[in-house]
Every structure is written in C-alpha cells, then in structure tokens.
Amino acid sequence: MDGQQEDIMEPGDEEMAPSSKDGDPSLDMLALRLCRALVYQDQEKSDTGPTSGVMSAGQAEEPERDVSPSSLMDTCAPSISSLSSSSSHSSHHHPNMSSSSSSSSSALCLTPPLPPSVELPAVLTDTRLTLDVYLGGSGALPLLWGSIPEKLRGVWYLRLGSEDKPGLDGALDVLPFLTELRSLAIRGHCFHDSHGDPLPGLLTTLPTSVSSLSHLVHLDLSFNRLTCLPPCLLNLPELSSLLLCHNHLPALPPDIGQLSSLTYLSVLGNELVSLPSSLGQLKALQTLDISHNLLQRLPDEIGSLEELVKLELSHNKLKQLPESMGSLLSLRELVIFSNDLRLIPQCLNKLPLLKIDVRDNPLGKPPSPPPLPPTPVQRETKIPELHLGFNQHSFSVSSAGCHVFLPGGAELLFPPGCLAKATRLEWVEKRPERKWVRLEEHDLLLSRPLELRPHGVTFLKPVEVCVPYHRTKRREVVVQKFDGQSWSILPTVLRRGSEGHSSHPGGRPARLACCSVRQFSWFMAVSRPVKDSCSVTPAGALLVSSSDPGIKLHFPPDSTVQTRTITLQVLEVSVAEVQALCGDPQASVSSLLCLSQTPSINFLQPIKVQVPLPAGVTGHTVDMSCLHLLHGDPTAQNWTDITSQVSLYVTHLYAIFYITHFSWYWLWYTTQRCVSGVIRKVYQKLKQFRVQFLVLQRKTDPSQVMLQCLPSNKVEGKLQLLLQRYDGPQPSDLCDLLEGEQFFAGFERGLDVSTETPECMGGRLSFVFYSNVENRKEVFICPDQGQKGPVRGQVSFYRGEVPQNLPEEVAKKRKGHDNQWLATLPLKLPALNSDNSFIMEEPQYPPLNLGDPESGYLTEANLLSISLQIGQDWHIIGINLGISYQELDRIKYKHRDDLRGLVLEMLFHWARVQRDAGPGAVSRLVDAMIESKRRDLADEIEDIVSIGRKKYLESLRRVGLEGESSSFGETQQ
C-alpha cells in the first residue's frame, strides 16, 4: 500500500468521483471498483483476528512520540489500512455482498454524512467499523445503530474522527451499546484544512456510560481537547493500551492506579507538571511515555513499576531522577534527553542492560545562578540582519553590528562595537583542494572551506563564525582555521541555525559549527574521533573515554614527576569489514586506541589500560592463544604484536594490560596467525572509502550531464532525490578512494566536453574526493565534430595521472593496486535537428495496439487505472504474464523507489510484446490475473471490454452498420 497512498481519494473529493471525464460510464465503474478493491493486498497482514488487531493498533500508535510536523501528517494511514482490510475481508467471505450492500446502503441512506459513492461494505465488516476516513463520518454511527443494531453489537474495532462536533456527539451516545468493543480510536488530526494544517479533534470528555465497555483493551484519544482524564475510564478492567497524546492534560487523576491491566500508557505532548504517586500501582505497565510535558520531578513510587521496559521522559524540565529508579530491573531503555539534569544517579549503574539517551542535558555543570535584575541602562537592541544571495560576495558592516546570513546556511554575527567604522568585507567558498585542506589521520571534511576577507582586519570584539556541516555519528565536530601557513583547531560550539534560514529552501535550519575569532581567515568544519584529555600529576589520575565508558586509563601515584597532558581517541572499527579484508570469518577486533602525551617521555610506573573484549568474545569463551595485542607506530604506520611483551589478562568483559609509553593499541581475536603485514593492510584499507560513480543526464536536456562520486552508503538516498530530474546509467562498480584523492573523468567514443571550466583539460575533468563534501560537477557535452544522428559514448574515471595511449581492453584488465582505470559508464545523446537542438525521445508509453480488435477496448487510460490496484502483487502477475525474471529484475531496479512507475513499466512492457503475439491478448491478461489470485482485476478487465464492445456496437448502429455489427458481435462472443 505504501506506493499507492498518493492515489487514494482524499477526503472531500468523493463527491467528484462519479462525474468522470466526458461522463464515461466505464470510468464511473472503475472509480467505484477502485474504492471497493483498495486492499486485496493487505488482507493477510491486517485482518489476522481480534487479538492481533488490538496489539497492532497499540503498536502503531507508539511511534507518535516524535512531534515533528512530518510525523503528524500521516494520521489517516491506519484508517485507510483498516478500510482496505475491511473491504477485503467482506468480499472474501461474502461473494455476493456487492449487490446486497448496494441495496442496504441505499436503504440506510448513508448520504449524508458519507459521500454518495460509499457503500456499507466499505466501512463495516463483521468486526470492524471504520468511520474516520471521511470528514463527518462519525455521524453515520447513529444511523447504522438505528437500522442494523444487531450487526453493530458484534463490532470489535471502531475508529471515529473527532473533527466534526455534531457527528461526534451523536456517535458518543451510541458508544455504550457496543459492548463487544475491543479497540476504540477517537482521534483528531485525521484531516487538514485548505492551508494543509491538521484539523484538531473536538473531544472534551466521554459519557460515564462508556464504563460499560468491559471488553475494551485499546483506547486512543490523541489530538483532542481533553483537560482531564474521563472518570469512566478508571472502570475499564481490561484496558491495556491507553493513548492520550497531544491533549491539554495538566495532571493525571490520583486514582489512576485502578487501571491494573495497563501495559502501555502515552501522555506525550500534554501539560503535566507532576505525576500522582498512584502511578506506581500500575504493576503491569511495560511502556510509559511522558515526553514533551512540563515535569520537574518524578515520584519515588515510579520505582515500583517492576515490569517497565521503556521509559520516555524527553523534553521536560527534570532536574534530578529519584534513587528508586534503581529498582526498575526490567528497564531496558531510558530516554531523558532535553531536560535539565546535571547528574545521573548512581543507582542506574545497577542496571547493566539499560540504554540511556542523555543528549542535551547540562551534565556535570554547576547550577545556573539566577539572572541579575536588569539595570536601567541595559536596553535590548536588535542587531540588524543581512541576507546575501549567491552572487553577493561583499557586504558592509558598521559599528552597530550585523547578523549576516550567507547562502548555504553559514552565519556571521558581528556584535555592536566590533568595528570602529563601517568596513567592507567579503566572503567566498573554496573548492576543497589539497592546497586549502589539511586533514589529520581519520579526520573527515564536513564543509567547503569558507574564506572571509580581508585577512588583516582585527575586530575590537570577537566575531562569531558559524560554518554549516553535514551530520556525523559518534564523532566530534570542530572548526579548523587556516592562517595562510598552518591549520589550527578552534573552540567550537554546535547549534542549529536561525529559523527561516536553512541550507536548502524550505528545509530545517542548518547544523552549525560556531567559533569566535578576532581576525578573518579560512574556516572549515571537520569531524574527528572524540578526543578526551586530562592532566596527570604525581598524585595520579583516571581517564574514561566519553565515546565508550568501558575504555579506561588508570595512572597510579608517582607515575610521573611533572604534570603531563594525556589525549585519548577511540576509533570504531567494523568487524565485518575486517573479516572480509583479512579473510578470516572468525576474526573480531576491539576499538582502536590512539594515545598521546605531552611531554612524550616514558612513565615511571606502568599505566593500567582497560579495553572491552572484541565483539562476540567473553572471558569464559576466549582462547588466549588467539588474542593478540597490536602496537602501532603512527609515524612509520607499522604494527607489532606485543602480546608476549606485556602483562595481558581478561575479565568477563574486558582485557587489561599495562604499558609505560603511549602510541596506538589494537586488540585482535583471530584463529589465523596474526602477522603485522596483515594488520597494516587492514589499517590502510580502513582509511579508504568504498565509492560509486554516478553519471546522470537531465531529462529535459540530455546534453547536460551530472558527474558525482559518493561513498557507497549514500548512493541510494541521493539517487532517490535526483531521479525526478535526471535519467541515465546506474552507479558504477565499487571503487576505493582515499580522503582527498584526485581522479579524473573523461568523455570518449564520440563525446566531447563543452565547457570552459579550469579543471577541464583535453576532454577530462579533475575531481578531488572528500567523503562528506558533495563531489559533483555538471557539464555540457556535445558530439565530436562531424558526428550525425544519435551518439553513443562513455565517460571513464581514472585515478591519478591520466593514462597516455592506454587501450580500453588493457585498462579493463588492470585490476591490481596500480590500477588507474576505475569505472566506465555509457552515455547517449539524441540526434540533432535542423536547428542544432536535440530531438527528444517519443513519449514513454505509446498508445496500445495489442494485435486484435478486442484489445482496442482496453485503452491506455484503462491500463493506467488497473495499475493503481496491483501494488505488491506486481511480481507474480508479471510472471504469469510471461515476463522473464531478468526483465522483472531490471524493471524493479529501475523503479526501486516508485511502485507506481514499476507497475506501469511492467504492464506496458507486456503490452509492447503483445503486438506481435497475435489475437487473444485480453484473454491472456485476464488469465494471468486469475492465476495471480486477483479475480477482482480479472472481472474489471472483462467489464471494461464488455462496456467498450457495447459502446462500439451502439456507434455502428447509429451510422447504419447494424447488420455488420451483429455479425461482429457474434464473432466476438
């Protein structure tokens, strides 16, 4: 269904459905059948019985913890899925429901409140009633109760929208009579207004008679206007899941502990300032979400929730956590980011399997003093803002200061008084060439170098320079400054950019790495392994890695005479990559430790180093003969096995050894003999990136070509963004490139480059690869002189120097370490017309011509309508249509992110083949649908052909060819 959501009729459009173009009754029938047959596809996964239905409903609501606008847009999806499964269930068990339901729906007069095209089976099955797909649909519940009360008494699952007050009030009066209900959802935000904003729910309370729903297990009242918990809910003995997200609850009732069966409770996005102590009586509770509220403390009774597995407390105002949380032995996930916590209680250390998210808390910082009262002379002055365009590379700043926004997301903040007089300043972004970029071992470039001029100006106050950067995981981001001779690291603060200014129009504010400077220079953002530092005195010290708390350095007393500065970096290593590189499927490695000190002299006492054992290895199972400690020399970049030279022993989880000097250390576990050459090879490979090259042509102008190289893990996402505007060859095979390595792209076989860019020489363009900067160029290509007609050529990528007179067949065979040929991808230019402009290709889907008169009734529009209903069954239908597995795989890869385009390509590919296959194409299509268990589509195709034949015979009759028409009709029969 994911690929078809955009094709489902939106609420409010139903009245338009029957009036199809030109009043064509065949299209009328297609519109109705589309509504009826939405879910043949979701039958197996959504209609699995009452118990699983309740559980899936509860689980489906859990992700709504994310309160970003994008996460709230898809609130109708569960309703559509329910409608789909209901229709499928009804048609599956009642083959003749279609005609009977039509008479039932007309007798029940569902119009209004439901649209004219909606029939009873579309909203009601044996156990499921879905009325939140249509605005005002809740008003149909009293109507149904007045007509078919016995059928409604058997409903287990009910979904109501709460945006229509009259309809909602009528539905609430009927609720107490539906005594078999297991799951009830009364949600707002199912529909949107003309501006695209979600409509709020209008539910403010529930009638006391709802307490009669003794079988109710799941209840969702999210996105409404509740200001208190309806008291009737406390009398529901079987209630297991309760969702009250995004209401206006200031508190929970003191007797909420009566809900003894509750396992899931979410009050996300309310106004709670405290929690009742009776919350600790919910002994069965497994998930509690209280995020996005106003909590300042938690009750001690929260430690009584013995079965609690997940606790969500993010985006509150918590200053401390109670010690009783150490009793939550079942707790596995604690989310407490974006609070005011300055200390994590020691009691949580007793929970070894607990994962804690503590981002955006002032951990370790002293309490903030209260703000000083404003003095009369303090006046808030607003700094003027200046938004520059891509072609504005100079600007003026006066003594009043200025907040300058550069294209791409960068920001410059000049405080008042930083300049004595108005000064003209300039900015420019450099390409990341080796001349401007100096990266340390394992550093990654996150931005283009930003040059601010003139370099000689000295500011009276520090100026804040904020460089936008790409996201990075488990690494720290710093700003580097280049003064013309050397690079230096500046103290860096990370924050989001200002609202209304983003790196992409309409996107979120950019991530900024900010630093304060007194002079302008070159600046860039770099990510590096997290650096932990400490000062070691003669009294000793303990250094714990912030990226992995299991890594510790213990400096005993008298290990040094003078104070030393110690730096620890931890480099995460992929075990799977190591296994592939060394050819040992049993191999496993720890993180790589990079240790340094100032001054660099040996310690007087051995330093104790603790490192977690390699993944999959424990102290009980370790074979000490397979465990190796490697010492690396960062200068010579070689590795030595020092296992026999140090005191190495293991605990259950850690390896411990003692050293007297600092360098690189790496723990390996391998069944093969550990050789330093293998380690050096693996280490060199870890510094390389698996890269794929893209060559894409603009769909509107094939002479414009985009070349780009990306790390292999970013290719899929980038293609998904680009394929709307580009077309062309798929990515090349994987290659290895170092950070900052230069390579070339050359056009060959009748193609030439039409560009004046400096990096283009002799038909080849120069690139420098940086893993986190967009390595992209767009150039215009043209046929070589004298070429006529369409031109097929290629673009090849070469490492280092351009090979001279290297035949293609030789280049393809060079697969060794000195291989300069990386990849070759094809290109095609269409023919030129008399105006020297390209003749674009024919429309992608030509009119149908399946080779027999009967297929003339199956038009291209009909086939398009059928494709909307196929969905995930496309593959089995394609096989039954006789399409080869190879062709289906090609279609799947070409449209891997577009299910609708995939189905269309498959159908029209079959149609093109049928032109030469002789009569009977429609019969073959019908048989394929039946073999694929899609009898609904087979009936629809037969209906289309039947209606088309009837219209054709009537047209013959009108022009006086009735005799011929009758004989033709007999032939077709």
Side-chain angles (χ1 to χ4, degrees), residues 292-311:
H292 291 272
N293 278 282
L294 305 174
L295 297 174
Q296 296 188 10
R297 61 177 297 274
L298 298 176
D300 292 335
E301 289 78 6
I302 199 169
S304 302
L305 302 177
E306 302 171 352
E307 300 297 323
L308 195 63
V309 175
K310 182 176 182 180
L311 179 58

Side-chain angles (χ1 to χ4, degrees), residues 382-387 402-406 408-414 464-468 494-514:
K382 183 174 178 62
I383 299 178
E385 294 185 354
L386 179 61
H387 296 261
C402 189
H403 194 172
V404 182
F405 298 90
L406 303 182
E411 298 182 16
L412 308 175
L413 183 59
F414 299 87
E464 187 178 37
V465 177
C466 296
V467 182
L494 305 182
R495 65 175 177 85
R496 279 284 184 179
S498 302
E499 294 292 335
H501 182 64
S502 65
S503 55
H504 300 286
R508 295 183 63 189
R511 293 180 174 86
L512 297 179
C514 302

Side-chain angles (χ1 to χ4, degrees), residues 786-906:
Q787 291 281 352
K788 294 182 180 180
V791 180
R792 292 183 179 273
Q794 65 188 29
V795 56
S796 297
F797 296 90
Y798 301 93
R799 171 181 280 121
E801 295 297 328
V802 179
Q804 298 294 329
N805 301 322
L806 190 63
E808 179 190 355
E809 60 271 16
V810 176
K812 287 187 176 181
K813 294 178 181 178
R814 297 190 64 180
K815 299 294 184 182
H817 296 295
D818 62 342
N819 176 28
Q820 292 183 325
W821 173 83
L822 296 178
T824 298
L825 292 171
L827 281 175
K828 177 186 176 183
L829 292 184
L832 294 171
N833 59 19
S834 58
D835 299 329
N836 283 333
S837 59
F838 289 104
I839 302 174
M840 303 306 292
E841 294 182 0
E842 294 295 324
Q844 186 175 7
Y845 302 123
L848 294 181
N849 178 14
L850 304 187
D852 60 329
E854 184 185 36
S855 65
Y857 306 130
L858 191 64
T859 65
E860 184 174 353
N862 297 144
L863 211 57
L864 178 63
S865 174
I866 293 168
S867 71
L868 300 180
Q869 307 174 50
I870 289 180
Q872 299 296 339
D873 293 334
W874 72 273
H875 195 270
I876 185 64
I877 291 175
I879 293 174
N880 289 325
L881 286 173
I883 302 176
S884 66
Y885 287 96
Q886 182 179 6
E887 184 63 30
L888 291 174
D889 288 343
R890 183 195 67 80
I891 295 172
K892 181 179 180 181
Y893 189 83
K894 182 178 180 181
H895 300 278
R896 53 191 174 278
D897 297 316
D898 181 10
L899 179 62
R900 181 180 180 183
L902 184 152
V903 175
L904 281 174
E905 175 82 7
M906 183 267 293

